Amino acid sequence: SFRISFNGTYPDIHFNTYYDSGWRIHTAGFGAKTTFNGATGAFGFSNVASTQVANATFTPLERLTILANGNVGIGTNNPGSKLVVYNDSIAGNTQLHVHNNKSGDAAVLKLEGARTSNNDAAQVLFANSGNVIARIDSESSADSGNIRFFTSVSGTGSSVTQSMMIN
């Protein structure tokens, strides 16, 4: 059975872990902990990357963070927007997978704005090393709209120009 313990000024909840000159595993297997920072309002979820032997030391890896302002980070503890998914691994793609297992309905990703003047209502940005290299947006002022495609030329940084529009 896994033990649950509490620790610190702002109580953390520990699952199969404890602190004794470093984080340790109670019984062989995995461990996890939740952390609340009363000074910042951040709430974090950490775990062990692989199974451990009893009493082994480990470094908890924060996997999910919820900041006081509601920003959520997966793979980062300092999300700068409502949802940030960050992968610092040097191998493999980072995927956001929306799966619908119902045969009669589609998986839907909905981007919705509330513009009242003819402007971009939603955008999908493509970036490489911090530079926006392409953009798809919808232009609307009410219930009509266009889809616009923007691309960049090498050496222009994040400057994109419209390449195509579908009315």
Side-chain angles (χ1 to χ4, degrees):
S1 68
F2 288 146
R3 299 178 186 176
I4 297 175
S5 59
F6 298 90
N7 183 46
T9 305
Y10 306 112
D12 298 343
I13 302 173
H14 303 261
F15 303 91
N16 197 37
T17 66
Y18 66 98
Y19 192 87
D20 182 12
S21 300
W23 289 105
R24 297 180 181 276
I25 297 289
H26 276 292
T27 57
F30 288 90
K33 70 183 191 90
T34 62
T35 305
F36 174 72
N37 185 326
T40 66
F43 194 63
F45 298 86
S46 304
N47 72 351
V48 179
S50 60
T51 186
Q52 304 289 316
V53 298
N55 300 314
T57 60
F58 71 95
T59 301
L61 301 172
E62 192 158 316
R63 306 297 187 171
L64 176 75
T65 301
I66 304 171
L67 298 182
N69 64 6
N71 288 0
V72 175
I74 299 172
T76 178
N77 61 7
N78 193 22
S81 56
K82 289 299 176 191
L83 175 62
V84 175
V85 179
Y86 183 80
N87 179 5
D88 63 0
S89 172
I90 59 172
N93 294 328
T94 301
Q95 296 183 23
L96 180 60
H97 183 159
V98 178
H99 180 87
N100 181 356
N101 206 31
K102 299 184 296 179
S103 63
D105 293 313
V108 175
L109 178 60
K110 184 176 184 177
L111 305 176
E112 182 174 351
R115 298 283 197 168
T116 56
S117 61
N118 197 32
N119 211 322
D120 59 325
Q123 295 183 18
V124 177
L125 299 177
F126 301 87
N128 187 27
S129 299
N131 291 315
V132 175
I133 58 171
R135 180 176 94 212
I136 302 171
D137 74 22
S138 64
E139 181 182 56
S140 178
S141 60
D143 61 355
S144 64
N146 304 317
I147 298 290
R148 302 183 301 177
F149 297 83
F150 296 77
T151 57
S152 66
V153 176
S154 180
T156 59
S158 288
S159 178
V160 294
T161 55
Q162 185 172 320
S163 299
M164 183 174 74
M165 180 170 65
I166 302 172
N167 293 337

